Amino acid sequence: MRRIVTTAVAIALVGGALGAPAVAADTDRPGTPGSFGVLDPSDLLELTPEPAVPVLEEQIEPTATETLATARRVLAGNARPSDQSATLVLRDLWMKRSKLTGTERRQADALLARPTDGVTDEQGFGYTVAEAPPVCNTRLCVHYVPTGTDAPPSPDWVAQNLAVMDSVWTTVVDQMGYRAPVRDGSQGGSPLFDVYLKDLGGDLYGFCAGEKRAKKRTASGYCVLDNDFAAAQFPNGTPLDNLVVTAGHEFFHAVQYAYDYAEDPWMMESTATWMEERIATAVNDNRQYLPVSQIYAPNIPLDAFSRTNGFQYGNWVFWEYLTARYGNGLVLKTWKQAGTLKKDGGKNSLPALQKVLKRKGGLTKNYARFAAGNLTPAANFPEGAEYPGPKVRGAKLLSKRKRAKRFGTKVNHLASASYVYGPGKGLDGKKWKLSLQVSGPAKRTTPAAVVVVHQLDGKRKVKTVKLNRGGDGRIKVPFDNRKVGAVTVTLVNASTRYQCGRKTLLACAGKPLDDKLRFAVKGRVTK
């Protein structure tokens, strides 16, 4: 389900949470915000002591009763900032329904029911007037009511919904090769995929709900979209733009149910948000989630599912990075590896991705290069030149007199921390080098370090530091202030070791084994 990231969250993550000034770019070079290739070394300032890493809320799976309470709030339009999205809370409620009894079971059934259950829906989510004849084609039906608060603004808008959903189907299934949603038998009056228009009150753009289990962990379902995306309720974007991106996001959730409805939640939401870019690249609605991506919150694990900040939406950028290099088919291959049918891989999200990236340098290398490249979005993403420049954890301007600086921090799994060294006064000439000594955790925990030399001519030289079994390594790079604007060091905890099945919201519902690992880097000017 798509949610709006609040302005307060965006400001906190981009402007204050990391507590470090951005490394500014030369504003005379248009279209390259945040590019270190045109860095003025005088912008590098020594920082006050490093702030504490922001704490992600505990990643514990809620109970069936807690999930029911959350679902009731969300669909009633009374969602708390800490509540899950409608799509995934309904998925979880559907999966946990058997653990509920009596009144709670009846309440769950009412929430999971389609809007056409009408006034008999004790949760008040059903249509209050009789449904009009649905508008259908050979694979889709759009359901609506002709009058009342749930009514669309006109018959043309109903037809527009059908046309948009059909176009999304064509792109995702016919052109990109994903499976069609699982058929639902006669639910909704026919075997066709059902979409319902309903006034969602501005808190929700739309959602999809699982309904009937099929083979393995696949299932049929239906989707609900807002009935009009009225500007008074959805002030960001036009009604048509909001319809298009919501249709792309939510339809992809229905497609995911054809692979594994119980897949890790970070993968479900991040790939659905990535799909928005394939469906509506000109709309750019998913940029609202950039402040909660690893570009701007690199210290939050990639697989985090946050009920408060929505990091799982922001990390669509990870898939954007990978597909910019290896093609859009990489996401499809990952879902096939994560699928549960006989011809699928049957893996959780990270092992599935590891399998797909095995012949492309591996997950560790790709993740480390992604983390390091996030400091220069213009070089990392197709539309990155339009992204704001990110912050860094620490920065130091070295000179002939002040030759050394050490930075240290703790890094959680699938997260990173970046530092900047700038060549200052007296460091003109080829003889000057920057010697970097990296200290990390044991190699079995999969540490990595990537150094990027940002030249004043705009070029970047990317180097991976070779670490020994103890996690330590050294590298020496050019530091001539006539040619080098800055050198960045990105310290990466690429661990994917978990105790799985621990009822968390992380990958494989597991508990990470390698969080809060100590990293350090010491830079020293040498000849």
Side-chain angles (χ1 to χ4, degrees):
M1 184 216 73
R2 300 178 62 248
R3 286 178 94 168
I4 298 174
V5 176
T6 65
T7 302
V9 170
I11 293 173
L13 288 171
V14 177
L18 297 184
V23 179
D26 184 341
T27 54
D28 291 332
R29 286 177 62 90
T32 56
S35 171
F36 287 103
V38 290
L39 175 72
D40 180 353
S42 64
D43 289 322
L44 289 171
L45 303 175
E46 186 167 5
L47 303 176
T48 55
E50 180 186 323
V53 175
V55 177
L56 179 68
E57 70 265 25
E58 195 172 17
Q59 298 281 285
I60 301 298
E61 180 185 3
T63 66
T65 297
E66 291 170 340
T67 300
L68 172 61
T70 301
R72 295 183 69 185
R73 288 195 302 269
V74 170
L75 292 191
N78 299 318
R80 298 173 183 171
S82 61
D83 284 341
Q84 288 174 275
S85 67
T87 294
L88 288 193
V89 77
L90 287 175
R91 180 202 70 160
D92 292 348
L93 181 63
W94 176 60
M95 291 170 59
K96 297 173 182 178
R97 173 182 173 274
S98 62
K99 297 180 181 180
L100 300 172
T101 59
T103 300
E104 288 188 332
R105 172 74 72 88
R106 290 192 296 274
Q107 290 175 344
D109 289 344
L111 289 171
L112 293 167
R114 300 179 179 220
T116 44
D117 276 11
V119 294
T120 61
D121 186 338
E122 63 183 84
Q123 298 301 307
F125 194 72
Y127 287 149
T128 57
V129 298
E131 177 190 7
V135 176
C136 305
N137 61 17
T138 58
R139 53 194 183 186
L140 293 156
C141 278
V142 176
H143 301 257
Y144 69 102
V145 293
T147 60
T149 57
D150 292 325
S154 69
D156 287 343
W157 182 250
V158 179
Q160 182 81 75
N161 273 260
L162 180 64
V164 167
M165 288 296 297
D166 191 68
S167 176
V168 169
W169 184 305
T170 297
T171 298
V172 176
V173 178
D174 300 338
Q175 297 176 0
M176 298 181 72
Y178 288 89
R179 294 170 191 161
V182 176
R183 285 184 168 254
D184 63 6
S186 60
Q187 294 291 330
S190 74
L192 305 181
F193 185 75
D194 296 302
V195 179
Y196 296 85
L197 306 186
K198 181 172 175 55
D199 182 14
L200 298 179
D203 292 321
L204 306 176
Y205 286 85
F207 62 87
C208 282
E211 191 169 48
K212 184 178 180 181
R213 288 175 172 83
K215 295 180 180 179
K216 300 293 185 178
R217 290 204 304 259
T218 66
S220 63
Y222 64 91
C223 288
V224 177
L225 304 179
D226 191 77
N227 64 323
D228 58 5
F229 292 103
Q233 294 176 329
F234 301 91
N236 298 323
T238 67
L240 181 57
D241 284 349
N242 284 328
L243 167 61
V244 172
V245 293
T246 303
H249 185 112
E250 298 305 335
F251 180 78
F252 195 59
H253 279 313
V255 167
Q256 291 169 353
Y257 286 10
Y259 293 87
D260 182 3
Y261 60 72
E263 188 47 74
D264 297 331
W266 83 273
M267 180 171 162
M268 297 188 78
E269 288 294 7
S270 61
T271 57
T273 309
W274 169 86
M275 184 57 75
E276 294 179 26
E277 195 69 20
R278 317 279 77 75
I279 298 298
T281 185
V283 176
N284 295 321
D285 183 80
N286 54 8
R287 290 189 191 177
Q288 68 172 297
Y289 308 116
L290 285 177
V292 286
S293 72
Q294 283 207 332
I295 301 176
Y296 306 102
N299 48 351
I300 301 299
L302 180 69
D303 63 331
F305 185 89
S306 172
R307 296 184 295 270
T308 303
N309 295 314
F311 300 111
Q312 63 275 9
Y313 300 106
N315 283 329
W316 70 272
V317 298
F318 179 60
W319 302 102
E320 188 74 356
Y321 170 83
L322 293 177
T323 54
R325 281 148 184 79
Y326 306 124
N328 288 337
L330 179 138
V331 177
L332 172 58
K333 291 177 182 178
T334 305
W335 270 104
K336 285 183 177 179
Q337 286 297 323
T340 58
L341 298 181
K342 186 175 181 180
K343 56 186 176 181
D344 295 333
K347 299 176 176 63
N348 294 116
S349 60
L350 295 177
L353 187 55
Q354 287 171 325
K355 176 70 173 181
V356 172
L357 292 175
K358 185 176 181 179
R359 296 185 179 180
K360 304 180 187 302
L363 176 58
T364 297
K365 179 180 177 180
N366 280 279
Y367 177 70
R369 292 296 180 100
F370 160 75
N374 283 344
L375 296 175
T376 51
N380 222 19
F381 303 99
E383 299 177 0
E386 300 172 25
Y387 299 173
K391 311 297 183 183
V392 293
R393 181 66 63 84
K396 177 65 177 178
L397 186 67
L398 300 179
S399 67
K400 191 173 182 179
R401 295 183 61 185
K402 298 179 180 179
R403 294 196 179 192
K405 176 64 179 179
R406 180 185 184 277
F407 295 105
T409 188
K410 292 181 180 179
V411 184
N412 285 329
H413 75 284
L414 292 175
S416 66
S418 293
Y419 300 94
V420 184
Y421 293 96
K425 293 181 180 180
L427 302 183
D428 51 328
K430 293 183 179 179
K431 61 183 179 181
W432 295 110
K433 308 291 183 182
L434 180 65
S435 177
L436 294 162
Q437 179 180 343
V438 174
S439 300
K443 190 174 182 178
R444 68 177 182 276
T445 65
T446 327
V450 178
V451 174
V452 182
V453 179
H454 303 267
Q455 299 181 170
L456 290 173
D457 62 4
K459 295 180 180 179
R460 300 160 63 251
K461 293 185 177 180
V462 183
K463 300 179 181 293
T464 300
V465 181
K466 186 176 182 180
L467 304 180
N468 61 23
R469 289 185 178 181
D472 301 328
R474 295 175 180 269
I475 194 171
K476 187 179 289 188
V477 297
F479 211 52
D480 177 0
N481 65 16
R482 299 174 305 175
K483 296 183 178 181
V484 176
V487 174
T488 60
V489 183
T490 300
L491 306 175
V492 179
N493 180 344
S495 173
T496 56
R497 301 198 311 163
Y498 300 81
Q499 290 180 348
C500 291
R502 297 293 297 273
K503 296 185 177 180
T504 74
L505 297 172
L506 298 170
C508 76
K511 179 181 179 181
L513 298 180
D514 300 313
D515 273 351
K516 298 182 180 179
L517 299 186
R518 172 61 67 177
F519 286 78
V521 59
K522 184 176 181 180
R524 180 180 295 276
V525 175
T526 65
K527 294 183 180 180

